[in-house]
Amino acid sequence: MYSSVDSTLALGSAAMTGAADAGNAASAARAAGAARQPVELAAFYRAEFPRLAAALTLYTGDRELAAELAQEAMARACRHWGRLQHFDSPAAWVHRVGINLANSAWRRAGRRVDPAHGVESPRPHDPSTALAVRAAVARLPRRQRSALVLRYFVDLSVDDVARLLRCSPGTVKARTAQALANLRRTGARADDDAPD
């Protein structure tokens, strides 16, 4: 992993080899940027991977599948980091990629997008309420599930979710309201007030 010492060394070595003209100065700046890039990517991975894996577990209902999809989404983020790091929300991009990968996995498997059958059996270390909520969310229609997970679990704004799902903010609000109503009907959401 690169450190600030490495970027200082890259700048210092470029200066010692005659970075006086504009061409060499640009090369030195690129070298410093390249030295910082892996550090920023590593910080992004450490911050986003647990959130992504948890969101995909909720979305798919399958912890192992979610971990695989999260790894693939983060690998794609790594591959495109030069462009991705300049996005307004790289986290939103990687979550959208994860959801797209889940949908593709279900299509390849030749089954309807209904992860309720793939929900893990209860494990002793999981509270029963968490499993009930996970199962109820997994039974939601795909579009409602996407909006709900991105909006409330990943904690993206309505506008960010709308941009990711390629729909209007009003559609995001409607889908999340429908999803919450469905969860209330199944008893998965005990309180009657929706999150803001």
Side-chain angles (χ1 to χ4, degrees), residues 43-133:
F44 174 77
Y45 183 90
R46 279 191 304 277
E48 285 306 315
F49 181 78
R51 287 182 56 198
L52 177 62
L56 289 172
T57 298
L58 185 61
Y59 184 71
T60 63
D62 182 337
R63 186 174 291 143
E64 286 79 24
L65 175 62
E68 288 178 30
L69 298 172
Q71 284 290 348
E72 177 61 25
M74 292 305 277
R76 291 181 184 192
C78 182
R79 198 173 322 135
H80 300 290
W81 186 248
R83 179 177 51 98
L84 181 61
Q85 68 183 338
H86 301 292
F87 284 11
D88 288 339
S89 180
W93 182 91
V94 80
H95 280 88
R96 181 67 224 174
V97 168
I99 286 176
N100 286 346
L101 288 169
N103 292 336
S104 294
W106 290 324
R107 263 193 309 276
R108 274 193 309 276
R111 70 178 200 200
R112 191 175 134 260
V113 179
D114 181 14
H117 302 336
V119 174
E120 298 176 355
S121 59
R123 293 184 180 176
H125 65 279
D126 281 17
S128 61
T129 55
L131 289 173
V133 169

Side-chain angles (χ1 to χ4, degrees), residues 67-196:
E68 288 178 30
L69 298 172
Q71 284 290 348
E72 177 61 25
M74 292 305 277
R76 291 181 184 192
C78 182
R79 198 173 322 135
H80 300 290
W81 186 248
R83 179 177 51 98
L84 181 61
Q85 68 183 338
H86 301 292
F87 284 11
D88 288 339
S89 180
W93 182 91
V94 80
H95 280 88
R96 181 67 224 174
V97 168
I99 286 176
N100 286 346
L101 288 169
N103 292 336
S104 294
W106 290 324
R107 263 193 309 276
R108 274 193 309 276
R111 70 178 200 200
R112 191 175 134 260
V113 179
D114 181 14
H117 302 336
V119 174
E120 298 176 355
S121 59
R123 293 184 180 176
H125 65 279
D126 281 17
S128 61
T129 55
L131 289 173
V133 169
R134 191 180 299 162
V137 169
R139 285 190 299 271
L140 290 172
R142 182 181 58 84
R143 290 179 178 179
Q144 289 179 19
R145 190 172 58 247
S146 297
L148 184 78
V149 169
L150 290 171
R151 178 72 181 101
Y152 295 118
F153 190 77
V154 179
D155 199 27
L156 297 178
S157 71
V158 170
D159 291 333
D160 285 342
V161 174
R163 198 170 19 263
L164 289 172
L165 298 180
R166 295 182 183 104
C167 63
S168 72
T171 302
V172 170
K173 292 175 185 178
R175 287 178 184 167
T176 54
Q178 292 163 354
L180 290 171
N182 284 337
L183 290 176
R184 281 187 197 104
R185 272 194 296 279
T186 64
R189 184 169 167 77
D191 57 343
D192 288 333
D193 55 339
D196 293 31

